[in-house]
Amino acid sequence: MNNQKRTVHIGSILLLPGSNIVADGSIDETHPVIRALRDSGKLVFEHKVTANVAASAISRASTRQVVDDIEKTQKKPNSSVKKAAAARRTELDEFDAEWEEAKKKQQEQQKAATAL
């Protein structure tokens, strides 16, 4: 979990704000900078993903892929994990739709401005 409002680059790994999935051992948690970020609560590493951890992480996922990946960590996702995944997918779909609408408006405004 990246609990900051900015991305964090660790080598070739990019951690977005919210939940992220990285391979075990791909981040050296003993490195002084990583340890400081962890100790301050800016980064949280979950090595055992229980249903409660999965549901919480899903609610903070920034992409559908992360939602799917977290859901896959559960051998048998319980209802709270499934419910959190469905809710987050809906939120992400709504955000994507709003983003596309904003892009269309901007393009229309640019066309109108060049037509003048």
Side-chain angles (χ1 to χ4, degrees), residues 9-83:
H9 294 265
I10 302 170
S12 63
I13 298 171
L14 173 66
L15 300 178
L16 298 173
S19 302
N20 295 269
I21 300 284
V22 296
D24 284 340
S26 61
I27 297 175
D28 179 6
E29 294 180 50
T30 63
H31 187 280
V33 173
I34 303 303
R35 192 172 57 238
L37 289 169
R38 186 193 63 219
D39 291 349
S40 69
K42 292 178 180 177
L43 292 180
V44 175
F45 297 91
E46 296 289 351
H47 298 284
K48 184 175 181 183
V49 183
T50 64
N52 288 341
V53 169
S56 175
I58 285 170
S59 71
R60 299 191 56 215
S62 57
T63 67
R64 283 177 140 278
Q65 184 63 49
V66 172
V67 171
D68 295 343
D69 289 347
I70 295 170
E71 195 173 26
K72 287 176 190 173
T73 65
Q74 302 295 289
K75 290 181 179 153
K76 292 184 179 182
N78 69 18
S79 62
S80 67
V81 172
K82 289 178 184 179
K83 189 175 180 178

